[in-house]
Amino acid sequence: MAMWFALWSVVCAAASVLGANIEGRIAYPANVPAPASEDGSLPVHQVVLDGGVRSTLSTRDGRFVFYDVPAGRYTVDIYSTTHMFSQFKVDISATNEIRVLEFKYPGTPKLAVSHPLVVDAHAKIEYFVPREKFSVLDLIRNPSFLALVVPLVMIWILPRLSENMLDPEEYKQAQEEMAAVGDPQAMLKGLFGGAAAGESKDDEDSD
């Protein structure tokens, strides 16, 4: 019995010295297709442990592994220029038991997941904004366009509205009155100019 206990202690000590293997596989869901390749293989990504303490590359089938990782708490990140992936926090106990928490995006709640890791791509990274297409609706919403068109429309509509709203005889009479009045500026000049001329003439007569 003592020999079995000693053997078990040696195995546990060796396991703690060797550490655990952190394994995982990168996958692309149906709604986030992988970049096209001639042989159908997945792109190679850099997988980083604990911010750069160790790093490795994924294989053509998306698998990766970190060998003999000592007990502790680590982060696992996938560095990719084409897709976004979750960040994982891996906790390795003294007995090499592995517990994993997944953070899909910064600030999102943690999610307990199993090991080996299954790293799904969340979205494709877009570096460029699509060029806007010509839209008549956007043109109509433009304030400059409204400031130019609305007065022209009002000038065209108002005379026709007044023509339809007034009786033909009243409309004809209004046109005759406008023609008799003539230019409003000339009328104002005539009023003020005539008054000034009348005052100057009265002054001369009084002299």
Side-chain angles (χ1 to χ4, degrees):
M1 185 69 180
M3 186 177 69
W4 283 106
F5 181 76
L7 182 60
W8 176 253
S9 300
V10 170
V11 171
C12 291
S16 62
V17 171
L18 294 176
N21 296 339
I22 299 177
E23 304 176 45
R25 179 175 59 87
I26 299 174
Y28 292 86
N31 60 334
V32 186
S37 61
E38 295 181 356
D39 56 356
S41 60
L42 299 179
V44 176
H45 295 299
Q46 183 181 14
V47 186
V48 178
L49 181 68
D50 216 23
V53 174
R54 293 170 64 177
S55 65
T56 186
L57 297 176
S58 61
T59 59
R60 287 295 182 180
D61 60 353
R63 300 183 183 277
F64 62 89
V65 58
F66 292 100
Y67 295 100
D68 300 332
V69 181
R73 183 169 295 175
Y74 305 90
T75 59
V76 177
D77 295 281
I78 310 298
Y79 286 3
S80 172
T81 58
T82 58
H83 290 77
M84 296 180 61
F85 296 92
S86 297
Q87 182 187 67
F88 296 87
K89 289 189 177 180
V90 181
D91 191 1
I92 302 176
S93 66
T95 57
N96 287 343
E97 294 182 1
I98 298 177
R99 293 184 300 176
V100 183
L101 296 177
E102 180 182 5
F103 296 85
K104 292 185 179 296
Y105 298 99
T108 56
K110 58 186 177 181
L111 178 65
V113 295
S114 60
H115 182 267
L117 308 177
V118 178
V119 187
D120 289 329
H122 296 314
K124 185 178 180 181
I125 300 175
E126 298 290 345
Y127 291 96
F128 301 99
V129 178
R131 186 175 181 178
E132 294 184 0
K133 297 181 179 179
F134 176 77
S135 174
V136 177
L137 186 60
D138 293 338
L139 179 62
I140 295 175
R141 291 176 179 175
N142 192 323
S144 301
F145 179 82
L146 294 176
L148 176 64
V149 172
V150 170
L152 296 177
V153 173
M154 296 299 292
I155 292 173
W156 182 76
I157 290 178
L158 285 178
R160 285 161 177 75
L161 289 177
S162 59
E163 182 178 355
N164 294 330
M165 293 174 63
L166 294 176
D167 185 72
E169 295 182 359
E170 294 180 355
Y171 181 73
K172 185 177 180 181
Q173 183 179 358
Q175 284 185 329
E176 292 176 354
E177 291 178 356
M178 291 295 295
V181 171
D183 188 5
Q185 292 183 355
M187 181 182 67
L188 292 175
K189 289 181 180 179
L191 290 175
F192 291 104
E199 291 178 358
S200 60
K201 186 176 181 180
D202 293 339
D203 293 339
E204 291 177 358
D205 294 340
S206 61
D207 292 340

